[in-house]
Amino acid sequence: MYQRNLTLLTDLYELTMMQGYFKEKDANETVIFDAFYRSNPDGNAFSICAGLEQVIEYVKNLHFEPEDVDYLRSVGLFDEDFLDYLLHFKFSGDIYAIPEGTVMFPREPIIKVIAPIMEAQLVETAILNIINHQSLIATKTSRIVYAARGDGIMEFGLRRAQGPDAGTYGARAAMIAGCIGTSNVLAGKLFDVPVKGTHAHSWIMSFPDELTAFRTYAKLYPSACILLVDTYDTLNSGVPNAIKVFREMKEAGIPLTFYGIRLDSGDLAYLSKKAKKMLDEAGFPDATISASNDLDEYLIDSLKIQGATINSWGVGTNLITSKDCPSFGGVYKLAAIMDKKTGKFIPKIKLSENTEKVTNPGNKTIRRIYDKESGKIIADLICLVDEVYDENNSLLLFDPVETWKKTHLAPGSYTIRELLVPVFRNGECVYQSPKVMELREYCRQEQETLWDESRRLVNPHEIHVDLSNELWHMKNQLLDSYHYNN
């Protein structure tokens, strides 16, 4: 894995605030920041966490080169004592995070940073940039994979992505969320994931005729022979010529290990059903029928309902750009400041006239509550880190806004799992990121913990995210004290 120094991948105001802390405050004041998001993209009931490995690489390599400091000097906003401090900068704090591939919900801390205020402030922009992008693409992919109902989804979006990084790291996120392969060769190399592809219309057009093009491709790639059949006439030329080539391969004793056709235009439901009938009658019932052409979860779902015989899907633009919802909306907010005298954290809260923008204060963690019998998620509980829960006791959950809505869990009827794991301690990485294909399997298992009602594409049932009684009271006391003092 190649490494880049992304230290200057930050908003200018992070650096101007850092200098303000350096000059006007205790620069070693320890604080807690939470990165979280407020609503799921695409009207989904959940999101998929992705990008943590790149956050780790960023923090590990966080330092200012002399040329970085020279550039900041040229900006004209920074004094020499602060610039000298930057030359010796190193992240020294703690980071906790939800592991990649985990199902997550709004308002939960995805990443919690506990560090001197200058350090915690600097990492905001890059953390949000990385987590927002990959979590967005992973979440979009999970919807597309679900719509395919077990068929393979191939990520084909590189040429339509917003630049090389979006294409490459978007492919990584798509693989975590369930794709079986990517067309992006660089992503294949960097992340050790399968690369897949067929050929373009230009391949067919470069030969004197379609049949010659098919025969040549089959000769070169007999073990991965997927032929694009819609260059000229899908049913009258493309499919018959593909069948002719498959028959010739069979007669020559060439094993038909992975073969079939790809449709890239036209009425995919009609064409796939006609093509399937032709292939079956010719003695090739196990031929793959692959489709591409501006697919998304809604079109795939519709084609499945229409009885399309497609069993492999290449999805590009709508996946790699999350076209109908192109941003994730993660934010990064101050949650607590340590009192040096007591060593305890003083909770901080951001107020707003918009209820969803009022933050949850304090040093928090997330405990996921599962139904013991089914293994499905009942709710997530945001609580303070020092709270203790015992599965052998009853548990009362309540909606933090509509507090009369309550759920009582009997002793032994549920299990609890803490979601946040330590990633950095005292500036040193203590977490080993799994490989992408391992994350893919973990993500599949994570989605199996969701109820079917929460996975549907339209109007899904939302999982409750509740506050512990202690955290709820702390939050409301802060709200009351603010209004009293102001």
Side-chain angles (χ1 to χ4, degrees):
M1 180 68 66
Y2 67 94
Q3 297 223 341
R4 295 180 293 175
N5 181 1
L6 298 179
T7 305
L8 289 188
L9 184 68
T10 190
D11 293 302
L12 179 62
Y13 83 163
E14 311 288 14
L15 290 163
T16 56
M17 283 190 287
M18 282 179 71
Q19 178 167 254
Y21 296 143
F22 179 80
K23 289 183 170 293
E24 303 297 334
K25 285 178 66 70
D26 178 0
N28 293 315
E29 183 176 56
T30 300
V31 298
I32 298 176
F33 275 90
D34 294 330
F36 62 95
Y37 69 102
R38 297 189 179 105
S39 61
N40 294 306
D42 292 306
N44 218 36
F46 63 92
S47 294
I48 301 294
C49 183
L52 179 58
E53 182 175 353
Q54 283 63 54
V55 169
I56 291 170
E57 292 167 1
Y58 158 73
V59 175
K60 279 183 175 180
N61 201 35
L62 195 60
H63 69 283
F64 291 85
E65 297 284 358
E67 54 266 34
D68 297 333
V69 173
D70 288 341
Y71 168 72
L72 292 176
R73 183 178 290 110
S74 74
V75 172
L77 294 173
F78 303 107
D79 296 339
E80 285 302 318
D81 55 349
F82 176 65
L83 294 173
D84 182 67
Y85 162 81
L86 294 183
L87 282 172
H88 305 93
F89 179 91
K90 182 181 183 302
F91 184 79
S92 65
D94 299 342
I95 294 179
Y96 296 80
I98 295 177
E100 290 189 270
T102 302
V103 166
M104 61 182 182
F105 306 111
R107 300 177 297 281
E108 301 177 337
I110 305 170
I111 291 180
K112 179 173 71 172
V113 178
I114 306 176
I117 191 167
M118 295 172 65
E119 300 175 21
Q121 192 73 69
L122 176 63
V123 299
E124 172 183 4
T125 302
I127 284 176
L128 291 178
N129 175 271
I130 294 166
I131 295 293
N132 278 342
H133 173 242
Q134 289 198 46
S135 297
L136 175 72
I137 304 306
T139 304
K140 181 66 171 181
T141 302
S142 73
R143 290 171 59 81
I144 294 170
V145 170
Y146 180 74
R149 304 176 198 174
D151 296 342
I153 298 292
M154 297 170 287
E155 185 281 305
F156 281 178
L158 178 58
R159 63 188 59 190
R160 302 288 176 80
Q162 284 98 341
D165 279 0
T168 300
Y169 292 107
R172 178 184 185 275
M175 290 301 304
I176 290 172
C179 281
I180 63 170
T182 175
S183 66
N184 186 331
V185 179
L186 179 59
K189 176 189 174 185
L190 291 176
F191 309 123
D192 191 24
V193 298
V195 290
K196 296 182 179 292
T198 56
H199 58 80
H201 294 106
S202 57
W203 171 267
I204 309 295
M205 297 163 65
S206 70
F207 286 84
D209 57 76
E210 186 177 58
L211 183 57
T212 302
F214 284 177
R215 282 172 171 160
T216 306
Y217 193 82
K219 176 184 174 183
L220 289 168
Y221 309 107
S223 62
C225 187
I226 303 294
L227 302 175
L228 180 59
V229 295
D230 71 328
T231 304
Y232 301 121
D233 188 323
T234 300
L235 298 180
N236 293 316
S237 173
V239 176
N241 280 329
I243 289 172
K244 187 176 292 186
V245 170
F246 299 151
R247 188 174 287 130
E248 291 171 353
M249 293 172 71
K250 190 175 183 179
E251 291 171 353
I254 299 171
L256 294 172
T257 53
F258 181 66
Y259 74 106
I261 63 171
R262 177 163 73 96
L263 303 168
D264 190 49
S265 62
D267 188 323
L268 296 179
Y270 173 80
L271 291 174
S272 68
K273 285 186 276 190
K274 287 291 187 181
K276 175 65 173 170
K277 187 173 185 293
M278 295 166 70
L279 288 162
D280 286 353
E281 290 175 350
F284 302 104
D286 58 343
T288 294
I289 299 180
S290 177
S292 47
N293 188 27
D294 286 334
L295 298 170
D296 64 8
E297 65 268 42
Y298 299 109
L299 183 51
I300 292 173
D301 184 59
S302 175
L303 287 166
K304 300 288 281 188
I305 292 171
Q306 294 172 62
T309 58
I310 299 159
N311 53 18
S312 178
W313 309 82
V315 187
T317 305
N318 292 311
L319 184 157
I320 204 66
T321 65
S322 186
K323 187 175 180 180
D324 55 348
C325 184
S327 64
F328 193 71
V331 295
Y332 187 86
K333 299 299 180 183
L334 181 68
I337 296 177
M338 181 177 284
D339 184 332
K340 277 201 166 184
K341 293 180 180 178
T342 64
K344 295 181 179 180
F345 281 106
I346 302 170
K348 295 290 181 177
I349 191 169
K350 176 192 176 295
L351 302 187
S352 174
E353 292 186 3
N354 299 325
T355 303
E356 70 275 9
K357 288 194 172 186
V358 177
T359 60
N360 291 318
N363 186 8
K364 302 175 296 294
T365 189
I366 313 158
R367 289 192 166 90
R368 180 154 292 170
I369 315 298
Y370 298 91
D371 178 74
K372 191 170 185 177
E373 183 177 348
S374 66
K376 303 295 186 182
I377 300 172
I378 297 173
D380 275 6
L381 187 65
I382 305 176
C383 55
L384 300 174
V385 293
D386 56 359
E387 293 187 63
V388 177
Y389 292 86
D390 187 342
E391 296 168 2
N392 295 313
N393 295 332
S394 61
L395 180 63
L396 181 65
L397 303 173
F398 63 92
D399 187 291
V401 178
E402 299 172 328
T403 54
W404 62 90
K405 295 181 178 179
K406 293 179 170 66
T407 299
H408 181 268
L409 302 178
S413 68
Y414 64 94
T415 59
I416 298 179
R417 169 192 168 205
E418 186 163 358
L419 290 192
L420 291 178
V421 300
V423 178
F424 282 86
R425 290 193 187 278
N426 300 318
E428 298 299 323
C429 184
V430 296
Y431 180 82
Q432 179 65 46
S433 293
K435 292 182 178 180
V436 169
M437 297 306 286
E438 294 171 342
L439 291 170
R440 180 180 182 275
E441 173 58 21
Y442 167 72
C443 185
R444 185 195 66 78
Q445 295 173 10
E446 272 288 290
Q447 291 177 79
E448 290 297 319
T449 66
L450 292 163
W451 303 90
D452 290 342
E453 293 82 357
S454 294
R455 300 188 72 183
R456 62 191 177 218
L457 299 177
V458 179
N459 194 28
H461 172 73
E462 292 188 6
I463 301 292
H464 297 297
V465 178
D466 297 330
L467 304 184
S468 70
N469 188 57
E470 190 171 339
L471 176 56
W472 186 85
H473 279 289
M474 172 195 284
K475 182 175 183 177
N476 280 276
Q477 286 170 0
L478 284 172
L479 292 172
D480 289 343
S481 65
Y482 176 83
H483 289 296
Y484 179 79
N485 293 326
N486 287 275

